[in-house]
Amino acid sequence: MATLFKNIKELIQVRTKPISFVSGKEMNGLPTIKNAYLIVKEGLIFDFGEMDNCPKSDFAQVIDATGKMILPSWCDSHTHIVYAGNRESEFVDRINGLSYEDIANRGGGILNSAKKLQETSEDDLYQQSKTRLEEVIRLGTGAVEIKSGYGLTTEAELKMLRVIKRLKENYPIEIKATFLGAHAVPSNFKNNKEGYLQLLIEEVMPKIAEENLAEYVDVFCETGYFSVSDTELILKAGRKHGLIPKIHVNQFTAIGGVQVGVKYNALSVDHLEEMREEDIDVLKNTSTMPVALPSCSYFLSIPYTPARQMIDAGLPLALASDYNPGSTPSGNMNFVVSTACIKMRMTPEEAINAATLNGAYAMGLEKEVGTISIGKQANLILTKPINSYGFIPYSFGTHHIDKVFLKGKLIEN
Ligand code: NIG
Ligand code: FE
């Protein structure tokens, strides 16, 4: 049962040799084949090349892509799509002049979402979350990382992670789960942060390991949330349970979070809106992927990650959505890619590499997804007729996707 895509105007992000990620100048190279074919078999990419060499065999299905392009699905390595309710009243508060910090200090923000989630049943939480997962799949996302961190009690954190597990079981999209218990100090531990960290380490983490509910561990390492030494405590405990770090750092203040990430071999350090020279330097020649979240900068009107400076210094960069109810109520990776070009001065090639191959690496999925390579999952975006791939970021806000495929199967709208 093979499917042939023929007459593809341009097949984008074609990699014939295994590659983990691209960095520095390499980020500006995006290999493509014009007038291409692509064959998908049993959910995987089986073959591709120029139309002149297209095999003449019988195919179960033939899709004519004349005028259209194909690229690997977006790899969104940082989301919080399992949450309950929304926070549009805080959005209005911000319009009226309050800052993200002011709102958090009034007991809003993450604690507001935690309260809602604690009161929501696991089934209801699953229903709310699956709607968002289906939405991002239709928008071209083919692999996604999802964090806990709106539970902030043993029971509610486990509830979030079990919902993620159910999503993994029920959808063809690749999903990775991250434990973010250290997202905020809950009100019942207001003056006892140490007690909360102890709960996470002694009670919650062992349960997560026992039920095999997460691959990664995250901490919101930020002034007013968790310090560098709190972060070290959590990462050390995570290591005992085989949880690899992927952490929130340098969103509002630079306090040494990048350094602790590198020290503990984090797979990624995410946000990075506030970067000092030494934060860029410490990431050089490491296996830690810096991840920028431009939709968060857009929504909160905070600085954008200095992508130009980082890439010009030779670093790799991945792009992700940060889809969450407080700082980024959008999981649209097309918008992320556009915003990276428009506001962070990334070229279309750099942005597409950052949102596919480098995003896959930031989830430990670079062998499965992120490029058009034989043996990888056939997670594909088929565009509407477009002039060039540069049109994708250029036409911001326009829906340029015709169809999406996960493991070779068409996702019905
Ligand atoms: O990545 N910064 C920490 N966590 C989320 C936002 C949390 C919230 O406001 O609900 C983020 O931006
Ligand atoms: Fe986040």
Side-chain angles (χ1 to χ4, degrees):
M1 269 284 280
T3 300
L4 167 72
F5 292 87
K6 65 175 188 181
N7 301 323
I8 306 162
K9 181 168 176 169
E10 198 162 357
L11 184 61
I12 298 159
Q13 186 62 302
V14 168
R15 304 277 177 174
T16 45
K17 289 200 195 92
I19 181 169
S20 295
F21 59 82
V22 281
S23 48
K25 285 197 175 66
E26 290 168 352
M27 284 198 65
N28 206 26
L30 186 66
T32 71
I33 302 175
K34 290 193 170 139
N35 195 21
Y37 73 90
L38 172 72
I39 299 170
V40 171
K41 214 172 179 174
E42 282 156 16
L44 303 178
I45 295 171
F46 180 73
D47 187 19
F48 57 85
E50 292 176 8
M51 263 320 274
D52 289 349
N53 303 323
C54 183
K56 300 273 178 289
S57 28
D58 268 351
F59 292 96
Q61 193 187 15
V62 177
I63 296 172
D64 190 343
T66 300
K68 303 172 180 179
M69 300 195 178
I70 289 182
L71 62 151
S73 299
W74 304 127
C75 296
D76 189 353
S77 67
H78 181 140
T79 84
H80 311 244
I81 65 173
V82 172
Y83 61 80
N86 279 294
R87 307 227 298 267
E88 62 270 47
S89 66
E90 292 180 7
F91 170 59
V92 177
D93 290 341
R94 280 199 305 106
I95 294 169
N96 288 328
L98 291 184
S99 69
Y100 182 81
E101 201 184 357
D102 296 333
I103 293 166
N105 289 340
R106 295 198 317 186
I110 297 167
L111 296 187
N112 182 355
S113 286
K115 187 166 179 288
K116 290 191 171 111
L117 191 137
Q118 288 160 12
E119 290 161 358
T120 303
S121 71
E122 189 171 314
D123 204 50
D124 187 2
L125 186 62
Y126 176 78
Q127 298 302 329
Q128 294 187 40
S129 306
K130 92 186 221 301
T131 305
R132 286 185 282 269
L133 186 67
E134 289 170 7
E135 176 206 4
V136 300
I137 289 173
R138 283 195 297 272
L139 289 166
T141 297
V144 66
E145 179 259 17
I146 310 175
K147 300 174 194 296
S148 72
Y150 288 121
L152 311 183
T153 65
T154 306
E155 201 187 312
E157 282 295 308
L158 292 173
K159 177 163 69 182
M160 288 188 80
L161 290 166
R162 289 184 188 125
V163 166
I164 301 174
K165 190 173 178 187
R166 243 171 105 185
L167 293 170
K168 278 191 196 187
E169 288 163 359
N170 295 343
Y171 286 85
I173 184 172
E174 278 307 310
I175 298 178
K176 292 282 185 174
T178 301
F179 171 54
L180 174 57
H183 197 192
V185 179
S187 12
N188 53 328
F189 282 93
K190 198 166 178 231
N191 298 311
N192 181 16
K193 187 171 64 178
E194 282 59 41
Y196 182 58
L197 289 170
Q198 200 180 351
L199 174 88
L200 295 180
I201 292 168
E202 288 173 13
E203 190 173 302
V204 192
M205 277 195 192
K207 288 216 166 83
I208 290 170
E210 202 182 294
E211 285 188 50
N212 204 5
L213 287 172
E215 284 92 12
Y216 302 117
V217 62
D218 195 346
V219 178
F220 187 17
C221 179
E222 183 58 61
T223 308
Y225 292 82
F226 295 94
S227 68
V228 168
S229 60
D230 299 336
T231 304
E232 286 214 58
L233 266 183
I234 294 283
L235 299 192
K236 256 192 212 151
R239 191 151 69 181
K240 276 204 209 122
H241 297 292
L243 299 173
I244 297 162
K246 268 176 74 62
I247 57 177
H248 282 72
V249 297
N250 295 43
Q251 182 176 7
F252 300 106
T253 54
I255 57 171
V258 179
Q259 285 71 10
V260 80
V262 170
K263 181 172 168 195
Y264 284 81
N265 268 322
L267 182 58
S268 72
V269 285
D270 302 28
H271 271 288
L272 313 175
E273 289 87 343
E274 297 296 335
M275 288 294 271
R276 305 165 299 183
E277 211 58 62
E278 66 223 71
D279 301 323
I280 293 180
D281 285 346
V282 75
L283 283 165
K284 287 181 185 163
N285 303 312
T286 69
S287 55
T288 299
M289 176 64 67
V291 179
L293 310 165
S295 295
C296 174
S297 299
Y298 175 83
F299 188 75
L300 291 185
S301 301
I302 61 173
Y304 287 86
T305 301
R308 221 22 312 128
Q309 211 184 324
M310 293 165 67
I311 296 170
D312 293 348
L315 295 185
L317 190 67
L319 289 167
S321 73
D322 199 18
Y323 197 174
N324 76 73
S327 73
T328 322
S330 161
N332 188 341
M333 284 294 286
N334 307 285
F335 180 79
V336 168
V337 168
S338 277
T339 308
C341 294
I342 297 163
K343 294 293 185 188
M344 294 158 65
R345 290 180 48 230
M346 289 173 74
T347 63
E349 291 80 5
E350 288 170 339
I352 293 172
N353 275 319
T356 55
L357 172 58
N358 286 6
Y361 176 86
M363 293 184 266
L365 285 173
E366 71 278 11
K367 291 198 174 71
E368 283 82 17
V369 293
T371 61
I372 303 293
S373 307
I374 290 172
K376 280 198 177 180
Q377 289 178 19
N379 294 359
L380 308 168
I381 293 174
L382 175 67
T383 69
K384 292 177 182 164
I386 51 174
N387 256 336
S388 70
Y389 60 73
F391 190 79
I392 299 169
Y394 160 81
S395 63
F396 78 96
T398 301
H399 192 67
H400 54 70
I401 295 177
D402 179 18
K403 292 185 170 66
V404 297
F405 299 83
L406 287 182
K407 297 187 177 145
K409 274 185 74 179
L410 173 68
I411 304 298
E412 301 290 347
N413 271 327

